[in-house]
Amino acid sequence: MAGVKKLRLFDPNPDALSALDNSGIDVILGVLHENLQGIANDIAIATQWVNDHVVPHTSTTRFTAISAGNEILPDGADSPYILPAMTNLRSALDAANLQSIPVSTTIHNVVLGASFPPSAGVFSDKAKAFMEPIARFLKGSNAPLLVNAYPYYGYAGDPKAVRLDYAIFTANGTVVTDGSLEYQNMFDAILDAFYSALEKVDASDLDLIVTETGWPSAGNPGIATIDNARTHNNNVVAHVLGGSGTPKRPGKKFETYLFGLFNENQKPEGTERNFGLFYPDMTEVYPMKFTD
């Protein structure tokens, strides 16, 4: 109804997967953190996961990626399982003749030791040992790296130092100059910081998919407002569909996902309840345009 053509599911919810059958909506499918250890340690469990959640839907749904976890901390309890889980999922998909579905994982800026200016982007010492082998795997399997990129948190964390117009795509000119590169919005700067970090681990040719960006409409007075959320989210859609790319990757059209489809009324009070484009009753929080 809303014109959404691509969707990300954090877990293989069977009702959601069934609803998506024959919808024409492409899906990035996530593996829950609690399943990573089993999948990493046993190819039979990986095979069962693929046979249960992917194979039954491949004739009715196009899966654009499988994400082994979301925002795993480099020194977190699940981090040792990410690459082995990705490897076993790759093998299980290949055995099911589903070579076209890439396997990746989803990271966020906690893996960066520095991100400003964008050319200084580098993985932290802890993250480098975690990210280098993952980058090699992605290069070897021709898979993208999935990244979550939130100008909201950059602005909300330091609203005196970060300009709102830079965060929500309304700046009229260059805000940040980084050598010969000029940045008019923080979204591009975040992506280019990831590219700078990848360059330093010999993975500059990896594609990035932005698996989350967004802005809450309530829960942080004066910053998380309906007006700011509507402006940011509509502008990020227009920006990525326009295909201008980033200063480091001009002309590249970044596949980008907005978090999230619905406000989550079962989460604790605050911004986390209010990132949705729709209320739980399916009425819109504010008007959104998903097409160019």
Side-chain angles (χ1 to χ4, degrees), residues 20 70 80 132 199 215:
L20 288 160
N70 178 58
E132 270 193 301
E199 288 167 3
W215 198 286

Side-chain angles (χ1 to χ4, degrees), residues 147-152 164-171 184-191 209-216 227-246 252-260 275 277 286-292:
V147 301
N148 295 344
Y150 281 96
Y152 167 75
L164 178 63
D165 60 354
Y166 183 58
I168 63 174
F169 298 85
T170 55
Q184 200 167 332
N185 66 79
M186 192 189 297
F187 180 82
D188 287 352
I190 293 170
L191 295 189
I209 292 178
V210 182
T211 35
E212 288 181 42
T213 192
W215 198 286
D227 189 51
N228 285 346
R230 181 184 66 243
T231 302
H232 173 274
N233 285 344
N234 278 285
N235 283 346
V236 76
V237 170
H239 179 63
V240 298
L241 290 180
S244 60
T246 69
K252 179 169 177 54
K253 203 167 187 176
F254 287 93
E255 187 173 320
T256 301
Y257 294 77
L258 292 175
F259 181 87
F275 274 88
L277 308 177
Y286 45 82
M288 273 298 304
K289 185 179 180 185
F290 294 102
T291 55
D292 51 10

Side-chain angles (χ1 to χ4, degrees), residues 92-270:
L93 288 165
D94 289 348
N97 200 30
L98 297 173
Q99 293 87 350
S100 64
I101 302 176
V103 176
S104 187
T105 189
T106 303
I107 64 171
H108 65 322
N109 63 357
V110 74
V111 301
L112 298 177
S115 60
F116 185 86
S119 61
V122 64
F123 293 119
S124 68
D125 290 340
K126 285 180 181 178
K128 188 178 179 185
F130 172 72
M131 286 302 304
E132 270 193 301
I134 288 174
R136 282 196 298 270
F137 173 90
L138 296 174
K139 284 177 66 176
S141 59
N142 196 31
L145 178 61
L146 312 180
V147 301
N148 295 344
Y150 281 96
Y152 167 75
Y153 290 113
Y155 176 71
D158 197 355
K160 290 184 179 178
V162 178
R163 285 169 44 177
L164 178 63
D165 60 354
Y166 183 58
I168 63 174
F169 298 85
T170 55
N172 289 322
T174 299
V175 178
V176 170
T177 300
D178 184 8
S180 63
L181 303 179
E182 297 180 339
Y183 291 86
Q184 200 167 332
N185 66 79
M186 192 189 297
F187 180 82
D188 287 352
I190 293 170
L191 295 189
D192 279 356
F194 278 115
Y195 272 120
S196 294
L198 289 168
E199 288 167 3
K200 291 162 186 148
V201 294
D202 192 31
S204 61
D205 52 347
L206 282 184
D207 272 340
L208 297 183
I209 292 178
V210 182
T211 35
E212 288 181 42
T213 192
W215 198 286
S217 59
N220 186 0
I223 295 175
T225 66
I226 285 180
D227 189 51
N228 285 346
R230 181 184 66 243
T231 302
H232 173 274
N233 285 344
N234 278 285
N235 283 346
V236 76
V237 170
H239 179 63
V240 298
L241 290 180
S244 60
T246 69
K248 259 187 179 292
R249 295 293 186 274
K252 179 169 177 54
K253 203 167 187 176
F254 287 93
E255 187 173 320
T256 301
Y257 294 77
L258 292 175
F259 181 87
L261 193 55
F262 292 104
N263 274 352
E264 299 177 84
N265 59 331
Q266 295 179 24
K267 279 189 172 179
E269 291 284 352

